[in-house]
Amino acid sequence: FHVSVCDVEYNSSNQSLEITHKIFLDDLEMTLNKAYDLELDLLSDPDAEVLNSVMKKYMAVNFRISTEGKELKLHHLGMEIEEDVLRYYMEVNNVSPPGELYITNRILLESFDDQQNLVHCRNGDQVLSLLISSDEPGGKINFKD
């Protein structure tokens, strides 16, 4: 069983979407090494500069958010490794409260047939979730209903 978790939270005080991905290191390491012909070892002090560059490329291709048919510009803030998980931080600035979001999350889908990506979206007290898999690599969150 392979899973990643993504939290998307609307921050009304600075009008941004704050995004955190939690991805298991062993699955990510295998995927990045295969996709970019590397020999990263994420469990033992990886080269931060190489990892940062590769993750920006990988996330730019595999994670997208749009609203009202317009793709939002994602800013890559950084990452940290905690035990066997990589936390990857992103942000969308200057965004109105989302009524509807369309999220594409293809993280690790190319590597594992049973990969599932959970996406939890928060806007104030409202929390909506998506379960994404290779059968359906994206989905819509509607805060209007």
Side-chain angles (χ1 to χ4, degrees):
F1 183 71
H2 298 90
V3 67
S4 77
V5 178
C6 174
D7 293 308
V8 178
E9 184 166 353
Y10 182 70
N11 182 327
S12 59
S13 65
N14 65 2
Q15 294 188 314
S16 67
L17 290 174
E18 299 170 347
I19 304 159
T20 303
H21 297 272
K22 291 171 238 158
I23 309 166
F24 284 102
L25 286 176
D26 55 345
D27 299 337
L28 181 62
E29 177 181 280
M30 187 191 88
T31 300
L32 295 177
N33 284 338
K34 184 176 179 184
Y36 299 103
D37 194 28
L38 298 169
E39 292 184 19
L40 291 173
D41 183 354
L42 299 182
L43 293 172
S44 66
D45 197 29
D47 182 321
E49 192 173 312
V50 170
L51 180 57
N52 190 45
S53 173
V54 169
M55 281 302 295
K56 278 185 179 180
K57 287 180 197 174
Y58 184 77
M59 297 303 279
V61 170
N62 290 290
F63 185 81
R64 296 172 191 246
I65 295 183
S66 59
T67 185
E68 300 174 12
K70 180 184 170 197
E71 189 166 330
L72 300 175
K73 183 173 171 65
L74 293 162
H75 298 277
H76 302 262
L77 301 178
M79 69 192 95
E80 59 187 344
I81 294 175
E82 293 180 357
E83 296 180 20
D84 61 347
V85 172
L86 180 123
R87 292 182 188 272
Y88 193 82
Y89 304 102
M90 306 169 93
E91 185 175 56
V92 176
N93 296 314
N94 302 317
V95 64
S96 300
E100 186 175 282
L101 294 173
Y102 189 84
I103 299 172
T104 301
N105 186 346
R106 297 179 182 275
I107 295 170
L108 305 180
L109 292 181
E110 72 272 32
S111 296
F112 305 104
D113 292 338
D114 62 347
Q115 177 70 33
Q116 294 184 327
N117 296 326
L118 296 170
V119 180
H120 304 295
C121 297
R122 290 177 183 79
N123 184 3
D125 293 336
Q126 197 173 14
V127 180
L128 301 172
S129 298
L130 292 171
L131 178 60
I132 295 177
S133 66
S134 57
D135 295 336
E136 193 68 42
K140 185 171 23 176
I141 294 284
N142 190 345
F143 287 109
K144 297 176 191 175
D145 295 339

